[in-house]
């Protein structure tokens, strides 16, 4: 069974960049997707980005495309989310998720979740 652990969150200022990580332990195969979601206080869980492990194909939320980049390091079994030009509205708990044969933007189709990492952007 796959276990996901996020790291790298913190407090930054508007305009800063931040990279958060998600390391997977356990077996993943070619059909496995890794996704990032976020949840701001009082708001619904929101899709950020996803990556297919086999070929690193990526999917992004339209509103975040160009500022956020998802990537992987096969050797470390780790997926990264690089966030640039951060805004106060990016403040949220960011969750890593994993699953096979998922609909990348649909959080209900993922079956494994990390504990979340807080990202706070001050104005």
């Amino acid at each position: 069974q796959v276990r996901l652990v996020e790291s790298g969150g913190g407090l930054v200022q508007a305009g800063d960049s931040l990279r958060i990580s998600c390391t997977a332990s356990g077996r993943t195969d070619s059909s496995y997707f890794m996704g990032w979601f976020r949840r701001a206080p009082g708001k619904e869980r929101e899709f950020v980005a996803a990556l297919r492990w086999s070929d690193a194909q990526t999917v992004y939320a339209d509103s975040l495309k160009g500022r956020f980049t998802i990537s992987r390091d096969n050797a470390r079994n780790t997926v990264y989310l690089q966030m640039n030009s951060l805004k106060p509205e990016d403040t949220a708990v960011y969750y890593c998720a994993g699953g096979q044969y998922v609909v990348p933007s649909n959080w209900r189709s993922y079956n494994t979740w990390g504990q979340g990492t807080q990202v706070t952007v001050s104005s």
Side-chain angles (χ1 to χ4, degrees):
Q1 187 169 349
V2 177
R3 181 170 173 259
L4 304 175
V5 178
E6 300 102 331
S7 61
L11 173 64
V12 296
Q13 292 188 330
D16 285 352
S17 297
L18 188 68
R19 189 179 77 167
I20 56 178
S21 304
C22 174
T23 300
S25 60
R27 181 177 172 270
T28 59
D29 60 25
S30 61
S31 61
Y32 207 76
F33 268 83
M34 300 282 285
W36 285 102
F37 292 81
R38 68 184 185 182
R39 188 162 192 171
K43 294 189 176 181
E44 296 291 322
R45 194 174 335 201
E46 178 186 17
F47 170 69
V48 175
L51 177 147
R52 186 163 60 193
W53 202 257
S54 60
D55 58 5
Q57 181 180 344
T58 58
V59 181
Y60 291 95
D62 287 343
S63 62
L64 300 175
K65 202 177 298 184
R67 286 199 302 127
F68 287 18
T69 303
I70 187 171
S71 62
R72 66 168 184 191
D73 182 331
N74 275 348
R76 290 182 168 82
N77 239 24
T78 297
V79 169
Y80 303 101
L81 184 68
Q82 176 69 42
M83 303 179 287
N84 297 328
S85 302
L86 282 162
K87 305 174 183 179
E89 51 264 42
D90 294 318
T91 295
V93 177
Y94 284 72
Y95 296 92
C96 177
Q100 286 182 285
Y101 311 117
V102 304
V103 174
S105 61
N106 185 345
W107 65 267
R108 293 178 178 84
S109 60
Y110 292 80
N111 59 11
T112 302
W113 291 83
Q115 82 284 359
T117 186
Q118 177 72 46
V119 173
T120 303
V121 185
S122 64
S123 57

